[in-house]
Amino acid sequence: MRHTITMLVENKFGVLSRISGLFSGRGYNIESLSVGETMDPAYSQMTVVTSGDDLIIEQITKQLNKLVDVIKVTDVTEFEHVEREMVLIKVKPKAERKAEVLSLAGIFRGRVVDSSEDTYTIEVTGDEKKIDAFVNLMTPIGIKELVRTGKVAILREGMKK
Amino acid sequence: MKLTGAEIFIECLKREGVKHIFGYPGGVVLNIFDMLYDNKDVKLILTRHEQGAVHAADGYARATGKPGVVLVTSGPGATNTVTGIANAAMDSVPLVVFTGQVPTVLIGNDAFQEADIVGITRPCTKHNFLVKDVNDLAVTVKEAFHIASSGRPGPVLIDLPKDVTVGKTEFVWPEKIGLAGYKPKYEGNKWMIAQAAAEIQKSKKAVIVAGGGAIISGATKELKELAEMAQIPVTTTLMGIGAFPETHKLSLGMPGMHGTYYANKAIQEADLLIALGMRFDDRVTGKTDAFAPNATIVQVDIDPTSIRKNIRVDVPVVGDVKRVLTVLNKMLKSEAKGQWTAVRKAWLSQIDQWKAERPLSYNPDSEVIKPQFVVEKIYELTKGDAIICTEVGQNQMWAAQFYKYDKPRTFISSGGLGTMGFGFPAAIGAQLAHPDKLVIDVAGDGSIQMNIQELATAVINKLPVKVAILNNGFLGMVRQWQELFYGERYSHVGLDVVPDFVKVAEAYNAVGLRAKKPSEVEPVLKEGLFKIKKPVFMDFVVDWREKVFPMVPAGAPIDHMLFDEKKQEKKHKLRAVK
């Protein structure tokens, strides 16, 4: 089963390598990973999406907790939480489908962040399913390039920490 | 007053109570070595290889419980420490390893003798640091010692760029350290301990499996109290040897691949298995699905990742073995009805029967020296009052099987990583820590050659380590596997009886002795162990056909044991020794 794990970590060089090394060294899979500074620049917040049975996920969270630079690990999958990721998608529609692209972007609350004579770059934010759906709609229209951020997640207020 | 990084390094070691460090000099650590030139407080033992330095520090740490300290240079000096560090990590040994690094401005430039040692050792240290600013040095050293020696101990590496050792700053020894992400949990959860107590009350066929954690936490007394009070037999893993006296009637010796018949039988038949500071290594469990099939499993370990990693656990207790046992014993004492002896009677008599059925044994011989006989003789002559270090392979297993260890920290062996070449430098470290103790390395002719250069370290520092080489002319354990599982195709395991270890010893200004016949074993041991006050190589030319039994083939359940049933009818031919 897929799990989204968030971590508060020291904002130091080498921390990302410790975490990614732990996953690769023990044969765990990282499906996505995102890192960013927190309000306190001494710390970063990481979100990792991984998969495995209960025993593997238990080992992953324990092993992450064991790292000296990792301060707190939360498997948010177990709790009510909000997940978001973002995609920047550059499409190259035929002239007759340009309007369709813009209208679909509107439906998905996307924004056109760049355009050229024959391309639009659209930014869409949402949970994974929403991003997938948008990518699926754009695929037959003609995707030139696509980047996804990986997931970030936060617990809903009042959930156990 | 402002101090240089090199001076701060020395001040920090003094504050941590370090008297000895092991190491090897080189370009980027010259400033520190200059400080060590006439320092009275910290003495550096110059080894002949950086790997030897780390193993020596490791032996020092295992013999004392205090962190071993290493100082080497950058590049090859640093990379040569990697095996020693990985070895210490697998066996939870506290080490602080200082490696020199090229000046910070050159890092990443592929400079002369540059290696990314922090990157290289990240997966095999408990934690590691690169100090980029001399102002961070003191706090980093303090954190390193704290991390290395607390919780589940392990090696910590500090990489010191040359300019950091030159830079000056005000020396401040920090009172406190931060480490928000590092809080080892010593006290076990009371409710869980109560569950463990209840399981012990309920059980009829309980067995304790004690590992290295029992020794590290110093739980010998509490373990004995529990075993005697609740009449529970105790088996000690390779790392746990000495945690419970092997001469005790409740001792089952070692479990696992080369464990005793009765330890493995007891585990497989038990209704309760109490794992204390052991991590269910595959050499202990054999086939995990078939391990202790009838037992409720209680596991006490300070490292949460050791719990439920490879074996299902019914009652997990995260905590220090000593502290958990103190609470557990109190609970059992207040609840016990004093009926333990009656409850366990059938179980203990079953165990006695197994012990009688298949004790550890070998076929003695009057013409050719049996390796087990040498180990038995060492035990007999030392009366068990020695520190035994081992190399890895057959020598290690025989040293574990045929010598009775009654005290913790008297058996020093590379368990997890299985590092050949560990025992001799480790013995040097143990001897330095205990100058008045008899320290013996039980070696094979293969392993001893992996760090044989350390004989110079032993001689020059007057560390009279005694090495008993069980010389069978083979990489014996590999040969044993080839004989049993590879159709006797002995691929690249023959060493021939080369070199002449007596001459090697003499060349290093140590003493070399040799025994070729069983009758010569005792005289050689008496002379080598007790009369000669220098390092000694005792070369025992042993029966090369001898194998370690019992043996559980890799991946089989631990009660599927092979024994030495084949009577050795083949007339042996001992190869000549020059």
Side-chain angles (χ1 to χ4, degrees), chain A residues 13-14 17-18 55 58-59 62-63 66-71, chain B residues 122 127-128 130 147 152 179 181-182 303-305 307-309:
Chain A
F13 61 88
S17 165
R18 279 182 213 285
L55 280 178
E58 181 182 329
Q59 264 300 310
K62 283 171 166 181
Q63 294 282 358
K66 194 169 150 180
L67 294 174
V68 172
D69 287 334
V70 173
I71 295 152
Chain B
R122 210 170 270 135
H127 194 59
N128 60 17
L130 168 64
I147 293 169
R152 175 179 173 183
L179 294 177
Y182 181 72
D303 178 359
T305 67
I307 293 173
R308 262 205 293 270
K309 185 168 63 183

Side-chain angles (χ1 to χ4, degrees), chain A residues 80-122:
Chain A
E80 283 289 318
H81 65 282
V82 183
E83 293 182 357
R84 287 291 179 272
E85 62 177 285
M86 190 178 90
V87 66
L88 290 172
I89 186 163
K90 193 183 281 174
V91 287
K92 192 178 177 187
K94 295 209 169 76
E96 66 267 25
R97 299 191 79 172
K98 280 190 167 181
E100 185 187 349
V101 168
L102 294 178
S103 107
L104 284 169
I107 292 169
F108 280 80
R109 295 178 209 278
R111 289 199 303 148
V112 177
V113 291
D114 184 42
S115 60
S116 70
E117 253 175 57
D118 52 1
T119 66
Y120 288 122
T121 300
I122 301 158

Side-chain angles (χ1 to χ4, degrees), chain B residues 512-529:
Chain B
L513 304 171
R514 176 172 294 129
K516 290 190 200 174
K517 290 186 297 201
S519 61
E520 293 166 357
V521 170
E522 190 166 322
V524 163
L525 282 173
K526 278 186 170 163
E527 190 179 352
L529 299 182

